[in-house]
């Protein structure tokens, strides 16, 4: 526990934290919903990547997770698949009914990313993995007029992919409520901190209705400096830490 070793595929890994479920060799061993597995097949993914082998069963088991793995290792699916699966199982997703006068969106999953490009990329992936489910995905990033994003949000959103600055703006305009966030993902957390987003991230987490013990938080990063360790202990409870592959510090 907690020490770096080579796994059966000769990948260097470190896993620490109590009761981590073991890695899986196949997508269909991770406990994902049928509809989610169908979208994985549609994407042409045959086998999980190393970080997916470890992260999928841990996240699917409902555990908080801090995961470090290098760029290009498949982290997006590692967090999208368990989140989409959890939402499908909870049911009740989809479009806002037309009788609703509430303009404020109440997403159940929030994925934070540092840049517009990255948010747009995660948004595309999240839509692919939700394509068989009826869940609705929306995106919010700056550098583009807010109006279109707000109109899209009014149709309802189960999953919101956002950059911190634009999201704070929407929350302050009462167009997004964070009361119902069950899943919080922070992607490229190290880059978000480097870009100075810590105050916005803290404001966002403060507005969440569900405390850290009842929501599920997944933190992904290419590196694990002390500032990230602080975020992890502030935002997560009883979390599992994994490092997969060769990563910097
Ligand atoms: P990271 O976020 O770790 O940098 P990405 O999630 O962007 O990596 O994935 C990198 C590339 O690998 C993407 O093109 C993605 O579609 C692809 N990919 C992810 N998982 C798999 C898989 N299991 N099999 C094949 N390709 C995959
Ligand atoms: Mg990524």
């Amino acid at each position: 526990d907690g020490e770096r070793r080579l796994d059966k595929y000769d990948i260097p890994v470190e896993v620490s934290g109590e009761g981590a479920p073991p890695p899986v060799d196949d997508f269909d061993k991770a406990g994902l919903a049928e509809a989610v597995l169908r979208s994985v097949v549609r994407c042409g993914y045959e086998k999980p990547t190393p970080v997916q082998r470890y992260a999928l069963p841990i996240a699917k088991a409902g555990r908080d997770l801090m995961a470090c793995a290098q760029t290009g290792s498949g982290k997006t699916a590692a967090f999208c698949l368990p989140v989409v699966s959890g939402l499908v199982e909870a049911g009740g997703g989809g479009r806002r009914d037309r009788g609703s006068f509430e303009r404020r969106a109440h997403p159940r999953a929030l994925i934070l990313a540092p840049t517009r490009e990255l948010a747009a990329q995660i948004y595309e992936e999240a839509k692919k993995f939700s394509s068989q489910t009826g869940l609705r995905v929306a995106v919010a990033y700056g550098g583009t007029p807010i109006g279109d994003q707000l109109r899209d949000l009014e149709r309802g959103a189960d999953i919101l992919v956002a950059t911190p600055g634009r999201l704070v703006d929407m929350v302050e305009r009462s167009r997004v409520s964070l009361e119902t966030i069950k899943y919080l993902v922070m992607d490229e957390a190290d880059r978000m901190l480097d870009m100075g987003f810590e105050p916005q991230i803290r404001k966002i987490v403060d507005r969440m209705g569900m405390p850290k013990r009842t929501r599920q938080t997944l933190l992904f990063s290419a590196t694990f400096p002390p500032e990230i360790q602080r975020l992890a202990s502030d935002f997560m409870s009883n979390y599992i830490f994994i490092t997969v592959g060769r990563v910097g510090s």
Side-chain angles (χ1 to χ4, degrees):
D1 199 46
E3 76 192 33
R4 216 143 158 72
R5 58 180 172 82
L6 294 179
D7 74 0
K8 67 176 186 184
Y9 299 104
D10 282 340
I11 305 289
V13 294
E14 179 183 339
V15 178
S16 55
E18 275 167 61
V24 292
D25 291 327
D26 289 292
F27 284 108
D28 63 7
K29 304 249 168 58
L32 299 167
E34 262 325 301
V36 174
L37 285 175
R38 283 200 297 276
S39 69
V40 171
V41 172
R42 281 192 165 206
C43 285
Y45 294 2
E46 288 170 6
K47 292 281 178 187
T49 65
V51 67
Q52 291 165 4
R53 293 179 46 242
Y54 286 84
L56 290 174
I58 295 170
K60 191 57 191 56
R63 297 294 302 270
D64 283 359
L65 172 68
M66 160 87 225
C68 288
Q70 65 207 18
T71 302
S73 57
K75 294 191 287 294
T76 318
F79 58 74
C80 280
L81 297 173
V83 167
V84 173
S85 190
L87 292 174
V88 172
E89 284 157 27
R95 257 142 254 272
R96 178 76 50 82
D97 68 69
R98 283 193 295 168
S100 171
F101 292 100
E102 168 76 272
R103 296 179 80 197
R104 196 167 7 179
H106 289 77
R108 293 183 288 155
L110 173 64
I111 301 171
L112 289 175
T115 64
R116 160 193 180 140
E117 292 73 25
L118 190 63
Q121 209 177 310
I122 296 167
Y123 172 59
E124 294 305 324
E125 294 275 296
K127 277 196 294 188
K128 278 197 263 171
F129 296 131
S130 305
S131 64
Q132 311 291 302
T133 67
L135 295 172
R136 200 158 191 287
V137 188
V139 71
Y141 48 70
T144 181
I146 200 167
D148 290 347
Q149 291 172 2
L150 288 175
R151 274 186 293 280
D152 186 55
L153 268 172
E154 279 181 32
R155 284 179 219 123
D158 299 293
I159 301 172
L160 177 60
V161 183
T163 53
R166 179 54 61 99
L167 179 62
V168 166
D169 187 1
M170 288 181 168
V171 168
E172 285 175 349
R173 293 176 189 217
S174 296
R175 303 300 291 270
V176 174
S177 161
L178 301 174
E179 286 297 311
T180 50
I181 298 294
K182 166 77 182 158
Y183 301 96
L184 168 63
V185 179
M186 281 176 269
D187 191 22
E188 303 209 5
D190 49 356
R191 246 174 106 196
M192 286 203 280
L193 295 192
D194 287 346
M195 290 171 70
F197 283 133
E198 185 164 350
Q200 288 88 340
I201 292 171
R202 289 192 179 273
K203 194 178 262 186
I204 288 164
V205 175
D206 277 347
R207 294 270 195 135
M208 294 199 169
M210 294 192 200
K212 62 182 178 184
R213 290 207 164 275
T214 49
R215 66 166 192 259
Q216 185 180 4
T217 303
L218 308 171
L219 222 157
F220 283 71
S221 191
T223 60
F224 193 55
E227 311 85 75
I228 299 284
Q229 296 174 41
R230 244 189 318 111
L231 271 200
S233 50
D234 288 350
F235 295 162
M236 300 201 282
S237 67
N238 190 24
Y239 69 93
I240 292 170
F241 170 76
I242 64 173
T243 306
V244 184
R246 267 163 254 281
V247 296
S249 58

